[in-house]
Amino acid sequence: MGIGGFYLTVVNFIYSKQKYNCQKISLTSGDLAVIMSSDMRVTITILTSLMLVMGAMANEPDAVTALRPAIREAAAEHGVDPVMMEAIIRHESAHATSKAARKKNNLAGIMGRRGQRRYETKEECVQDLARILGKHKAKGRVSVTQVARVYCESRSEWTRCVSANIRDIRKGRWGAEHIDDAPTEAKQ
């Protein structure tokens, strides 16, 4: 199906579900979930989001995959799981397409005193995430659930999404190059 057909299918699906105030719509065999309300103003946002994530849906290497060497290096330096790091980055930055990722190089949703932190490079953000996860590890927080308790507000949703990303990364979903497993001391 061409892009036009894909858009038409999505728009028709949205209009047919609008009267039911659908909260979650799964497209392409569960590869993409779209949250929407009954207000049709979200249609443009949904279509724009679909265009941004189409590379991720096609199992093609993306901007996050290109950061795997930096993720591996930072994870090894701080003794944390590189797969968890990549999963957090994918979730927090919408596969490096979010506004914070594009404008502030903030791939991990890291907050500062005045909102989301700004980084000079994406690699600098990767280093900061590894440092933060290393501090959590030192306090005994190594699982996704344990990290979620202090990393974010929507713990159950965040845990579910990051865990799903971990499974997908381990299956090799984003590119042929498989990220190394966690260092021996980071696995627990």
Side-chain angles (χ1 to χ4, degrees), residues 120-168:
E120 292 297 317
T121 65
K122 288 177 174 43
E123 291 79 8
E124 183 183 347
C125 180
V126 167
Q127 276 292 333
D128 202 20
L129 174 61
R131 181 189 59 76
I132 290 166
L133 292 177
K135 283 185 174 182
H136 290 312
K137 180 183 175 191
K139 295 178 181 177
R141 300 181 197 117
V142 292
S143 73
V144 174
T145 304
Q146 291 167 333
V147 171
R149 290 184 190 132
V150 292
Y151 195 86
C152 63
E153 292 180 15
S154 58
R155 293 180 190 108
S156 62
E157 177 73 11
W158 191 89
T159 300
R160 186 183 60 75
C161 292
V162 171
S163 296
N165 281 342
I166 288 172
R167 283 189 299 276
D168 287 345

Short mmCIF file of all heavy atoms in Angstrom, two decimals, residues 120-168:
data_model
loop_
_atom_site.label_atom_id
_atom_site.label_comp_id
_atom_site.label_asym_id
_atom_site.label_seq_id
_atom_site.Cartn_x
_atom_site.Cartn_y
_atom_site.Cartn_z
N GLU A 120 24.94 19.66 24.40
CA GLU A 120 25.65 20.06 23.18
C GLU A 120 25.53 19.00 22.10
O GLU A 120 25.40 19.31 20.93
CB GLU A 120 27.12 20.36 23.49
CG GLU A 120 27.34 21.58 24.34
CD GLU A 120 26.87 22.86 23.65
OE1 GLU A 120 27.14 23.01 22.44
OE2 GLU A 120 26.23 23.69 24.31
N THR A 121 25.62 17.72 22.52
CA THR A 121 25.54 16.61 21.57
C THR A 121 24.65 15.52 22.15
O THR A 121 24.41 15.46 23.36
CB THR A 121 26.92 15.99 21.29
OG1 THR A 121 27.41 15.40 22.51
CG2 THR A 121 27.91 17.03 20.78
N LYS A 122 24.18 14.65 21.29
CA LYS A 122 23.39 13.49 21.73
C LYS A 122 24.26 12.55 22.57
O LYS A 122 23.79 11.96 23.54
CB LYS A 122 22.79 12.78 20.53
CG LYS A 122 21.66 13.57 19.89
CD LYS A 122 21.13 12.87 18.65
CE LYS A 122 19.92 13.55 18.06
NZ LYS A 122 19.92 14.98 17.94
N GLU A 123 25.53 12.44 22.23
CA GLU A 123 26.45 11.59 22.98
C GLU A 123 26.61 12.09 24.42
O GLU A 123 26.75 11.28 25.35
CB GLU A 123 27.81 11.52 22.28
CG GLU A 123 27.80 10.76 20.98
CD GLU A 123 27.25 11.53 19.77
OE1 GLU A 123 27.00 12.75 19.88
OE2 GLU A 123 27.07 10.91 18.71
N GLU A 124 26.58 13.40 24.62
CA GLU A 124 26.66 13.97 25.97
C GLU A 124 25.44 13.54 26.79
O GLU A 124 25.56 13.20 27.97
CB GLU A 124 26.74 15.49 25.89
CG GLU A 124 26.92 16.17 27.23
CD GLU A 124 26.92 17.69 27.13
OE1 GLU A 124 27.03 18.24 26.02
OE2 GLU A 124 26.78 18.33 28.19
N CYS A 125 24.28 13.52 26.16
CA CYS A 125 23.07 13.06 26.84
C CYS A 125 23.17 11.57 27.18
O CYS A 125 22.78 11.15 28.27
CB CYS A 125 21.83 13.32 25.97
SG CYS A 125 20.29 12.77 26.73
N VAL A 126 23.71 10.78 26.27
CA VAL A 126 23.90 9.35 26.52
C VAL A 126 24.80 9.15 27.74
O VAL A 126 24.51 8.33 28.61
CB VAL A 126 24.49 8.64 25.26
CG1 VAL A 126 24.98 7.24 25.59
CG2 VAL A 126 23.45 8.61 24.14
N GLN A 127 25.89 9.93 27.82
CA GLN A 127 26.78 9.85 28.98
C GLN A 127 26.06 10.20 30.28
O GLN A 127 26.24 9.55 31.30
CB GLN A 127 27.99 10.79 28.79
CG GLN A 127 29.11 10.20 28.00
CD GLN A 127 29.82 9.07 28.72
OE1 GLN A 127 29.86 8.97 29.94
NE2 GLN A 127 30.37 8.17 27.92
N ASP A 128 25.23 11.24 30.23
CA ASP A 128 24.49 11.67 31.42
C ASP A 128 23.49 10.60 31.85
O ASP A 128 23.34 10.32 33.04
CB ASP A 128 23.78 13.00 31.16
CG ASP A 128 23.45 13.75 32.44
OD1 ASP A 128 24.06 13.48 33.50
OD2 ASP A 128 22.57 14.63 32.38
N LEU A 129 22.80 9.97 30.89
CA LEU A 129 21.88 8.89 31.23
C LEU A 129 22.62 7.74 31.90
O LEU A 129 22.16 7.20 32.91
CB LEU A 129 21.13 8.39 29.98
CG LEU A 129 20.24 7.16 30.19
CD1 LEU A 129 19.12 7.45 31.20
CD2 LEU A 129 19.65 6.70 28.86
N ALA A 130 23.79 7.38 31.36
CA ALA A 130 24.58 6.29 31.97
C ALA A 130 24.99 6.66 33.40
O ALA A 130 24.94 5.82 34.30
CB ALA A 130 25.80 6.00 31.11
N ARG A 131 25.39 7.92 33.59
CA ARG A 131 25.76 8.38 34.94
C ARG A 131 24.58 8.26 35.90
O ARG A 131 24.71 7.76 37.01
CB ARG A 131 26.25 9.84 34.87
CG ARG A 131 26.69 10.43 36.21
CD ARG A 131 26.94 11.93 36.09
NE ARG A 131 25.78 12.69 35.65
CZ ARG A 131 24.72 12.99 36.43
NH1 ARG A 131 24.70 12.59 37.69
NH2 ARG A 131 23.71 13.69 35.96
N ILE A 132 23.41 8.71 35.46
CA ILE A 132 22.20 8.65 36.29
C ILE A 132 21.85 7.19 36.62
O ILE A 132 21.57 6.86 37.78
CB ILE A 132 21.03 9.36 35.58
CG1 ILE A 132 21.28 10.87 35.55
CG2 ILE A 132 19.70 9.05 36.26
CD1 ILE A 132 20.36 11.63 34.60
N LEU A 133 21.86 6.33 35.61
CA LEU A 133 21.55 4.92 35.86
C LEU A 133 22.61 4.27 36.76
O LEU A 133 22.28 3.40 37.57
CB LEU A 133 21.42 4.15 34.54
CG LEU A 133 20.22 4.53 33.67
CD1 LEU A 133 20.25 3.76 32.35
CD2 LEU A 133 18.91 4.28 34.41
N GLY A 134 23.87 4.71 36.63
CA GLY A 134 24.93 4.22 37.52
C GLY A 134 24.67 4.59 38.97
O GLY A 134 24.89 3.78 39.88
N LYS A 135 24.17 5.81 39.20
CA LYS A 135 23.81 6.23 40.57
C LYS A 135 22.66 5.37 41.11
O LYS A 135 22.66 4.98 42.27
CB LYS A 135 23.41 7.70 40.58
CG LYS A 135 24.57 8.66 40.51
CD LYS A 135 24.09 10.09 40.65
CE LYS A 135 25.22 11.05 40.73
NZ LYS A 135 24.78 12.44 40.91
N HIS A 136 21.67 5.10 40.23
CA HIS A 136 20.56 4.24 40.67
C HIS A 136 21.05 2.84 40.98
O HIS A 136 20.62 2.23 41.96
CB HIS A 136 19.46 4.18 39.60
CG HIS A 136 18.71 5.47 39.44
ND1 HIS A 136 18.21 6.18 40.51
CD2 HIS A 136 18.39 6.17 38.33
CE1 HIS A 136 17.60 7.27 40.07
NE2 HIS A 136 17.69 7.29 38.75
N LYS A 137 21.97 2.32 40.17
CA LYS A 137 22.51 0.98 40.40
C LYS A 137 23.23 0.92 41.75
O LYS A 137 23.10 -0.05 42.49
CB LYS A 137 23.46 0.61 39.28
CG LYS A 137 24.06 -0.77 39.46
CD LYS A 137 25.06 -1.09 38.38
CE LYS A 137 25.69 -2.42 38.72
NZ LYS A 137 26.83 -2.70 37.88
N ALA A 138 23.98 1.98 42.08
CA ALA A 138 24.70 2.03 43.35
C ALA A 138 23.74 1.97 44.54
O ALA A 138 24.12 1.53 45.63
CB ALA A 138 25.55 3.30 43.42
N LYS A 139 22.49 2.38 44.32
CA LYS A 139 21.46 2.33 45.37
C LYS A 139 20.61 1.07 45.27
O LYS A 139 19.58 0.99 45.93
CB LYS A 139 20.58 3.58 45.30
CG LYS A 139 21.35 4.86 45.60
CD LYS A 139 20.47 6.07 45.48
CE LYS A 139 21.27 7.33 45.76
NZ LYS A 139 20.47 8.54 45.59
N GLY A 140 21.01 0.14 44.41
CA GLY A 140 20.30 -1.13 44.30
C GLY A 140 19.14 -1.13 43.31
O GLY A 140 18.37 -2.07 43.24
N ARG A 141 19.01 -0.08 42.53
CA ARG A 141 17.93 -0.01 41.54
C ARG A 141 18.48 -0.40 40.18
O ARG A 141 19.10 0.40 39.50
CB ARG A 141 17.37 1.41 41.47
CG ARG A 141 16.79 1.89 42.77
CD ARG A 141 16.24 3.31 42.61
NE ARG A 141 16.07 3.92 43.90
CZ ARG A 141 16.70 5.00 44.32
NH1 ARG A 141 17.56 5.62 43.53
NH2 ARG A 141 16.48 5.49 45.52
N VAL A 142 18.21 -1.66 39.77
CA VAL A 142 18.76 -2.14 38.51
C VAL A 142 17.69 -2.57 37.51
O VAL A 142 17.94 -2.55 36.31
CB VAL A 142 19.77 -3.29 38.72
CG1 VAL A 142 21.02 -2.80 39.43
CG2 VAL A 142 19.14 -4.44 39.48
N SER A 143 16.52 -2.94 37.97
CA SER A 143 15.47 -3.38 37.05
C SER A 143 14.71 -2.17 36.52
O SER A 143 14.77 -1.07 37.08
CB SER A 143 14.49 -4.33 37.75
OG SER A 143 13.68 -3.61 38.66
N VAL A 144 13.97 -2.38 35.44
CA VAL A 144 13.16 -1.31 34.86
C VAL A 144 12.17 -0.80 35.89
O VAL A 144 11.99 0.41 36.05
CB VAL A 144 12.44 -1.80 33.58
CG1 VAL A 144 11.50 -0.74 33.05
CG2 VAL A 144 13.46 -2.19 32.51
N THR A 145 11.53 -1.68 36.60
CA THR A 145 10.54 -1.30 37.60
C THR A 145 11.17 -0.47 38.72
O THR A 145 10.60 0.54 39.14
CB THR A 145 9.86 -2.55 38.20
OG1 THR A 145 9.30 -3.31 37.14
CG2 THR A 145 8.77 -2.18 39.19
N GLN A 146 12.34 -0.88 39.19
CA GLN A 146 13.02 -0.14 40.25
C GLN A 146 13.45 1.24 39.79
O GLN A 146 13.31 2.22 40.52
CB GLN A 146 14.24 -0.93 40.74
CG GLN A 146 13.88 -2.19 41.48
CD GLN A 146 15.09 -3.11 41.67
OE1 GLN A 146 16.04 -3.09 40.88
NE2 GLN A 146 15.04 -3.92 42.72
N VAL A 147 13.96 1.34 38.57
CA VAL A 147 14.38 2.63 38.04
C VAL A 147 13.16 3.53 37.82
O VAL A 147 13.20 4.72 38.11
CB VAL A 147 15.18 2.45 36.73
CG1 VAL A 147 15.43 3.80 36.04
CG2 VAL A 147 16.50 1.75 37.01
N ALA A 148 12.06 2.96 37.35
CA ALA A 148 10.84 3.74 37.08
C ALA A 148 10.35 4.46 38.33
O ALA A 148 9.81 5.57 38.23
CB ALA A 148 9.74 2.83 36.54
N ARG A 149 10.53 3.87 39.49
CA ARG A 149 10.05 4.50 40.73
C ARG A 149 10.65 5.87 40.98
O ARG A 149 10.03 6.71 41.63
CB ARG A 149 10.35 3.59 41.92
CG ARG A 149 9.52 2.35 41.94
CD ARG A 149 9.78 1.51 43.19
NE ARG A 149 9.13 0.22 43.03
CZ ARG A 149 9.70 -0.94 43.26
NH1 ARG A 149 10.95 -0.99 43.70
NH2 ARG A 149 9.05 -2.06 43.07
N VAL A 150 11.86 6.10 40.47
CA VAL A 150 12.52 7.38 40.71
C VAL A 150 12.77 8.17 39.42
O VAL A 150 13.14 9.33 39.47
CB VAL A 150 13.86 7.19 41.45
CG1 VAL A 150 13.62 6.71 42.87
CG2 VAL A 150 14.78 6.25 40.71
N TYR A 151 12.55 7.55 38.27
CA TYR A 151 12.88 8.19 37.00
C TYR A 151 11.72 8.96 36.38
O TYR A 151 11.92 9.92 35.67
CB TYR A 151 13.39 7.13 36.00
CG TYR A 151 14.09 7.71 34.79
CD1 TYR A 151 15.44 8.01 34.84
CD2 TYR A 151 13.42 7.95 33.61
CE1 TYR A 151 16.12 8.54 33.76
CE2 TYR A 151 14.08 8.48 32.51
CZ TYR A 151 15.42 8.78 32.59
OH TYR A 151 16.08 9.30 31.51
N CYS A 152 10.50 8.52 36.64
CA CYS A 152 9.36 9.13 35.95
C CYS A 152 8.12 9.13 36.83
O CYS A 152 8.09 8.49 37.87
CB CYS A 152 9.08 8.36 34.66
SG CYS A 152 8.60 6.67 34.97
N GLU A 153 7.11 9.85 36.37
CA GLU A 153 5.85 9.93 37.11
C GLU A 153 4.88 8.82 36.74
O GLU A 153 4.20 8.27 37.59
CB GLU A 153 5.20 11.29 36.86
CG GLU A 153 5.99 12.44 37.47
CD GLU A 153 5.34 13.78 37.23
OE1 GLU A 153 4.16 13.83 36.85
OE2 GLU A 153 6.02 14.79 37.42
N SER A 154 4.77 8.49 35.45
CA SER A 154 3.82 7.46 35.01
C SER A 154 4.52 6.11 35.00
O SER A 154 4.86 5.57 33.96
CB SER A 154 3.27 7.81 33.61
OG SER A 154 4.34 7.92 32.70
N ARG A 155 4.72 5.57 36.18
CA ARG A 155 5.55 4.38 36.36
C ARG A 155 5.08 3.16 35.56
O ARG A 155 5.88 2.51 34.90
CB ARG A 155 5.63 4.02 37.84
CG ARG A 155 6.38 5.03 38.63
CD ARG A 155 6.43 4.64 40.11
NE ARG A 155 6.93 5.74 40.87
CZ ARG A 155 6.19 6.48 41.68
NH1 ARG A 155 4.92 6.22 41.83
NH2 ARG A 155 6.72 7.48 42.33
N SER A 156 3.81 2.82 35.64
CA SER A 156 3.36 1.59 34.99
C SER A 156 3.45 1.69 33.47
O SER A 156 3.90 0.76 32.80
CB SER A 156 1.94 1.22 35.43
OG SER A 156 1.03 2.23 35.05
N GLU A 157 3.05 2.82 32.91
CA GLU A 157 3.13 3.03 31.46
C GLU A 157 4.59 3.05 31.01
O GLU A 157 4.95 2.41 30.03
CB GLU A 157 2.44 4.35 31.08
CG GLU A 157 2.52 4.70 29.62
CD GLU A 157 1.65 3.83 28.73
OE1 GLU A 157 0.80 3.09 29.23
OE2 GLU A 157 1.84 3.92 27.51
N TRP A 158 5.43 3.76 31.73
CA TRP A 158 6.85 3.84 31.40
C TRP A 158 7.50 2.46 31.46
O TRP A 158 8.22 2.07 30.54
CB TRP A 158 7.54 4.81 32.37
CG TRP A 158 8.94 5.21 32.03
CD1 TRP A 158 9.31 6.26 31.25
CD2 TRP A 158 10.15 4.59 32.48
NE1 TRP A 158 10.69 6.32 31.18
CE2 TRP A 158 11.22 5.32 31.92
CE3 TRP A 158 10.42 3.49 33.28
CZ2 TRP A 158 12.56 4.98 32.16
CZ3 TRP A 158 11.75 3.16 33.51
CH2 TRP A 158 12.80 3.90 32.96
N THR A 159 7.22 1.72 32.53
CA THR A 159 7.77 0.37 32.68
C THR A 159 7.34 -0.53 31.53
O THR A 159 8.15 -1.26 30.95
CB THR A 159 7.33 -0.24 34.03
OG1 THR A 159 7.82 0.60 35.09
CG2 THR A 159 7.85 -1.65 34.21
N ARG A 160 6.07 -0.47 31.17
CA ARG A 160 5.55 -1.30 30.08
C ARG A 160 6.23 -0.95 28.76
O ARG A 160 6.69 -1.84 28.03
CB ARG A 160 4.03 -1.12 29.97
CG ARG A 160 3.38 -2.06 28.96
CD ARG A 160 1.89 -1.79 28.83
NE ARG A 160 1.57 -0.44 28.38
CZ ARG A 160 1.71 -0.03 27.12
NH1 ARG A 160 2.18 -0.82 26.19
NH2 ARG A 160 1.39 1.21 26.79
N CYS A 161 6.34 0.33 28.46
CA CYS A 161 6.94 0.75 27.19
C CYS A 161 8.43 0.45 27.12
O CYS A 161 8.93 -0.06 26.10
CB CYS A 161 6.70 2.24 26.96
SG CYS A 161 4.97 2.64 26.66
N VAL A 162 9.17 0.75 28.18
CA VAL A 162 10.61 0.48 28.19
C VAL A 162 10.86 -1.03 28.12
O VAL A 162 11.74 -1.49 27.38
CB VAL A 162 11.29 1.13 29.41
CG1 VAL A 162 12.73 0.67 29.56
CG2 VAL A 162 11.22 2.65 29.30
N SER A 163 10.08 -1.81 28.85
CA SER A 163 10.23 -3.28 28.81
C SER A 163 9.96 -3.83 27.41
O SER A 163 10.67 -4.72 26.93
CB SER A 163 9.31 -3.94 29.83
OG SER A 163 9.68 -3.57 31.13
N ALA A 164 8.94 -3.28 26.75
CA ALA A 164 8.64 -3.70 25.37
C ALA A 164 9.80 -3.35 24.44
O ALA A 164 10.18 -4.14 23.57
CB ALA A 164 7.35 -3.06 24.89
N ASN A 165 10.39 -2.17 24.63
CA ASN A 165 11.54 -1.78 23.82
C ASN A 165 12.72 -2.71 24.06
O ASN A 165 13.44 -3.07 23.13
CB ASN A 165 11.95 -0.33 24.10
CG ASN A 165 11.06 0.66 23.39
OD1 ASN A 165 10.35 0.34 22.45
ND2 ASN A 165 11.11 1.89 23.85
N ILE A 166 12.94 -3.11 25.31
CA ILE A 166 14.03 -4.04 25.63
C ILE A 166 13.84 -5.35 24.87
O ILE A 166 14.77 -5.87 24.25
CB ILE A 166 14.14 -4.28 27.15
CG1 ILE A 166 14.70 -3.02 27.84
CG2 ILE A 166 15.00 -5.50 27.45
CD1 ILE A 166 14.67 -3.06 29.35
N ARG A 167 12.61 -5.88 24.89
CA ARG A 167 12.33 -7.12 24.15
C ARG A 167 12.61 -6.94 22.66
O ARG A 167 13.24 -7.79 22.03
CB ARG A 167 10.88 -7.55 24.37
CG ARG A 167 10.62 -8.21 25.71
CD ARG A 167 9.24 -8.82 25.78
NE ARG A 167 8.16 -7.84 25.61
CZ ARG A 167 7.66 -7.09 26.58
NH1 ARG A 167 8.14 -7.19 27.80
NH2 ARG A 167 6.69 -6.24 26.34
N ASP A 168 12.15 -5.82 22.10
CA ASP A 168 12.35 -5.58 20.67
C ASP A 168 13.83 -5.42 20.32
O ASP A 168 14.29 -5.91 19.28
CB ASP A 168 11.57 -4.33 20.22
CG ASP A 168 10.08 -4.57 20.16
OD1 ASP A 168 9.64 -5.74 20.17
OD2 ASP A 168 9.33 -3.58 20.09
#
